[in-house]
Amino acid sequence: MLMKRNLKKLTAFVLCICMGITLIYGCSGKKDNEGATEAKETTDSNKEKDTQKETEPVTVKDLKLTLDEGVTYQTIESFGASGAWWSQDVGGWTEGKEEGVEPREQIAELLYDREKGIGLTNYRYNIGAGTADNPSNYSGIGDIWRRAESFLDENGNYDWTKDENAIWFMNKAVDKGAKELVFFCNSPIVSLTKNGKGCGDANEGGATSNLPKENYRAFAEYVLDVVEHFIGEGYPVKYVSPVNEPQWEWTGGQEGCHFEPDELVEFLNVFLDVLEERNIEGLELSAPELGEWGNSSYKYYDAIFADERLKNALTSLDVHSYWSDTNAKTALMDYLNKKGLSGLDLKMSEWCEMKNGRDTGMSSALELALTVQTDLTKLNVSSWQYWIAVSCYDYRDGLIYVFKGNHEVVETKRLWALGNFSRFVRPGYVRVDSKTDNLNVLSSAFKGTDNEGRENLVVVLVNNSDSQLTIDAGSFSGYSSGEVYVTDKEHSLEKTEDVKNTPVNVPAKSIVTVTVKK
């Protein structure tokens, strides 16, 4: 998932230059560097301590929260994460048990269990290009975690026993609560590419697609063969995404394939041909999975919306939040309004913080929470899907870190920060109007019905200030009971208080979820 720009080699370890910024991105693959180092293995369970500096005693201030349940916005579909480039290894981790629990089970629980984890409801399964099937396909992808198997054997026949570790994890995610699966591709299967590899050739500059037009239909047939097989096995596959970040120049480091705007439109039309012929009930096309909401994406938007068939066929616009600040997101909404597409469903289908160095503390957790909050309130996204759920690298990517040698699992505050949304804002909840009087505190609010049929209101607050804040309990009048859950330096999505006739506390540098019932 990277970018189409004029790639230049500045140093031997640089993969690409995007918008003049040199990116070095660990094991999460899409925005990373082949030279990114795997984190050093250690058995010290305290190795990932929060490095946030101690601050002076915080001041306590009042925070005014204004809610208007009569003003409604988008209906939430899901929160999720990708299984790309870790599940094919981690899904086989049965050794290194902690308290008798296999590492793979522990990870599945943290991600998808609503009581012990963060309760994700969406899982993105990577249909690999086959770079892990044959040594000749490894070229340009030195890291084994970034290679993926295909379901074709050496004779071109389907072998559904392949990719068994990744399938184990997908199955476990579904068992624990993933109600929605997205099957996505980073590159066409290597047997169909121009160079027989899972990424383009650097000597071509990445300016053309690695998928020849004569193979558009064959690739679509392969992808839908895979999807139909797993639907037949009972998996809840709702979306299929055959292209990922087509604007970037994919010439090494990971599976990927560039498409120019006209190539993308032509390929997606062929894919629609096959999808319509198959008539797979309940399956929708997820596209275009562009790498950013603004900048390089506009020429792709223009090409897609100029094609009446694509414009009408896409039920949503699925885009990634990399390189996209609030201004870029606001500009995109203005663009859609001018195009008469203000009602188009938007989904954020991939993001992580692009920064070197592991961080298990609140710095990256707040960055994640601010991004989620902005996407929910400025773009009205109905689904928010994180990139790599598990990382083995020295980078701010995974919700969970692991060490490959001893299979140690390390939780991050990022994990629990996302849980402040995903555990409580459930599929079918509707966002309602919410405001605060503090520019350093972003809020969102959602109403829905719980399992007992009671009306539920969920308010998520991201306090990026150094002040502890309090909200008058009267803000939640009309609700009889409630609880407060906090992720901050001292808490990891922990219940800290009940909502009573006393102020609700919002600690400094925290993510707080208030959930109340009628």
Side-chain angles (χ1 to χ4, degrees):
M1 304 165 184
L2 268 184
M3 1 197 132
K4 191 268 182 216
R5 290 205 174 90
N6 296 324
L7 293 189
K8 305 172 184 177
K9 295 202 172 184
L10 293 182
T11 67
F13 63 88
V14 176
L15 272 178
C16 65
I17 294 179
C18 307
M19 303 171 63
I21 299 175
T22 303
L23 304 179
I24 304 177
Y25 180 77
C27 166
S28 66
K30 291 301 174 112
K31 341 306 191 243
D32 56 7
N33 187 302
E34 194 116 13
T37 58
E38 180 181 340
K40 185 178 180 181
E41 181 179 322
T42 175
T43 57
D44 179 6
S45 62
N46 295 318
K47 65 193 170 304
E48 296 290 342
K49 292 181 179 179
D50 188 350
T51 58
Q52 181 177 327
K53 294 181 179 179
E54 295 292 336
T55 60
E56 295 297 320
V58 297
T59 57
V60 179
K61 299 180 180 179
D62 290 334
L63 175 69
K64 182 179 181 181
L65 173 67
T66 304
L67 301 169
D68 187 345
E69 296 180 49
V71 179
T72 59
Y73 301 94
Q74 76 272 30
T75 299
I76 299 302
E77 183 175 331
S78 63
F79 287 91
S82 165
W85 304 346
W86 58 269
S87 62
Q88 76 276 14
D89 187 9
V90 172
W93 285 12
T94 58
E95 298 179 353
K97 295 181 179 180
E98 182 176 324
E99 298 181 354
V101 179
E102 295 176 352
R104 62 181 184 175
E105 290 276 2
Q106 181 185 358
I107 291 169
E109 189 174 82
L110 286 170
L111 293 171
Y112 287 93
D113 189 281
R114 195 177 176 189
E115 298 298 323
K116 298 179 181 179
I118 66 172
L120 296 177
T121 54
N122 169 292
Y123 182 76
R124 294 175 63 85
Y125 172 75
N126 178 33
I127 302 177
T131 53
D133 294 331
N134 188 307
S136 65
N137 300 332
Y138 292 172
S139 179
I141 307 176
D143 189 330
I144 193 171
W145 260 37
R146 302 186 202 172
R147 305 171 191 161
E149 294 182 359
S150 72
F151 290 103
L152 292 181
D153 62 21
E154 62 276 9
N155 298 316
N157 300 313
Y158 284 103
D159 180 356
W160 301 114
T161 66
K162 298 178 73 175
D163 208 22
E164 62 176 334
N165 289 342
I167 292 170
W168 181 93
F169 200 91
M170 176 172 64
N171 185 65
K172 187 60 62 173
V174 171
D175 286 347
K176 290 187 176 295
K179 307 299 184 184
E180 172 182 283
L181 299 180
V182 181
F183 273 39
F184 76 101
C185 306
N186 295 317
S187 165
I189 190 169
V190 294
S191 61
L192 298 176
T193 62
K194 292 177 180 178
N195 59 7
K197 301 174 185 177
C199 57
D201 290 320
N203 59 9
E204 292 185 3
T208 59
S209 174
N210 196 28
L211 179 66
K213 292 184 179 182
E214 60 268 23
N215 288 343
Y216 282 2
R217 185 177 182 88
F219 177 47
E221 296 277 7
Y222 172 75
V223 171
L224 291 173
D225 282 349
V226 173
V227 169
E228 281 195 292
H229 168 79
F230 284 98
I231 289 177
E233 292 292 307
Y235 289 90
V237 187
K238 186 172 181 180
Y239 299 100
V240 57
S241 171
V243 174
N244 204 286
E245 294 185 355
Q247 71 259 60
W248 308 143
E249 295 181 353
W250 293 104
T251 58
Q254 59 234 14
E255 293 185 357
C257 185
H258 174 75
F259 289 85
E260 284 292 297
D262 59 331
E263 293 175 318
L264 177 64
V265 167
E266 185 174 350
F267 169 69
L268 289 178
N269 270 293
V270 172
F271 195 91
L272 279 175
D273 289 341
V274 181
L275 186 60
E276 291 171 359
E277 291 167 10
R278 300 283 183 110
N279 193 28
I280 305 172
E281 184 178 356
L283 183 67
E284 298 179 26
L285 173 63
S286 172
E289 298 256 26
L290 295 166
E292 56 185 348
W293 291 100
N295 299 310
S296 64
S297 293
Y298 279 105
K299 62 182 180 180
Y300 289 87
Y301 298 143
D302 288 341
I304 289 171
F305 297 139
D307 185 283
E308 285 299 317
R309 185 190 186 201
L310 276 184
K311 179 180 177 181
N312 295 325
L314 290 178
T315 58
S316 65
L317 195 66
D318 297 29
V319 182
H320 305 167
S321 274
Y322 300 108
W323 322 119
S324 304
D325 60 14
T326 301
N327 289 334
K329 295 168 186 177
T330 302
L332 186 275
M333 297 300 284
D334 291 340
Y335 168 87
L336 292 176
N337 285 333
K338 291 176 181 178
K339 290 281 187 180
L341 297 167
S342 58
L344 185 63
D345 186 20
L346 301 182
K347 296 179 181 178
M348 203 302 294
S349 50
E350 187 186 304
W351 180 86
C352 73
E353 188 181 4
M354 305 287 287
K355 194 170 183 178
N356 285 317
R358 281 197 175 197
D359 178 61
T360 61
M362 287 305 298
S363 174
S364 59
L366 285 165
E367 187 68 27
L368 180 148
L370 290 167
T371 301
V372 177
Q373 200 77 293
T374 303
D375 290 346
L376 289 169
T377 59
K378 298 300 182 183
L379 291 169
N380 297 328
V381 299
S382 61
S383 180
W384 202 93
Q385 302 158 26
Y386 193 74
W387 171 220
I388 185 170
V390 179
S391 170
C392 64
Y393 286 86
D394 191 23
Y395 205 81
R396 291 194 181 194
D397 46 9
L399 297 172
I400 297 167
Y401 288 122
V402 295
F403 291 85
K404 293 195 292 185
N406 63 5
H407 296 178
E408 183 180 359
V409 177
V410 179
E411 299 170 19
T412 72
K413 293 290 185 179
R414 284 193 301 278
L415 171 75
W416 301 113
L418 182 55
N420 275 92
F421 296 90
S422 59
R423 185 190 282 186
F424 305 100
V425 184
R426 306 303 290 174
Y429 276 41
V430 176
R431 188 169 74 85
V432 300
D433 201 49
S434 171
K435 296 181 178 64
T436 74
D437 63 347
N438 189 322
L439 293 177
N440 289 315
V441 182
L442 299 186
S443 70
S444 60
F446 309 84
K447 64 179 182 180
T449 304
D450 65 15
N451 293 333
E452 299 172 350
R454 297 173 68 186
E455 187 175 332
N456 200 25
L457 177 70
V458 176
V459 179
V460 185
L461 300 159
V462 182
N463 180 9
N464 199 33
S465 76
D466 292 320
S467 297
Q468 179 174 320
L469 307 170
T470 59
I471 305 172
D472 189 293
S475 298
F476 307 104
S477 61
Y479 290 86
S480 61
S481 63
E483 300 172 330
V484 180
Y485 293 83
V486 174
T487 298
D488 65 0
K489 188 177 179 182
E490 307 297 331
H491 306 88
S492 295
L493 197 57
E494 296 171 37
K495 179 183 173 181
T496 57
E497 59 183 305
D498 291 314
V499 179
K500 302 177 181 178
N501 294 321
T502 55
V504 172
N505 294 296
V506 181
K509 299 294 184 183
S510 71
I511 304 97
V512 173
T513 300
V514 182
T515 175
V516 290
K517 301 179 186 298
K518 286 285 188 185

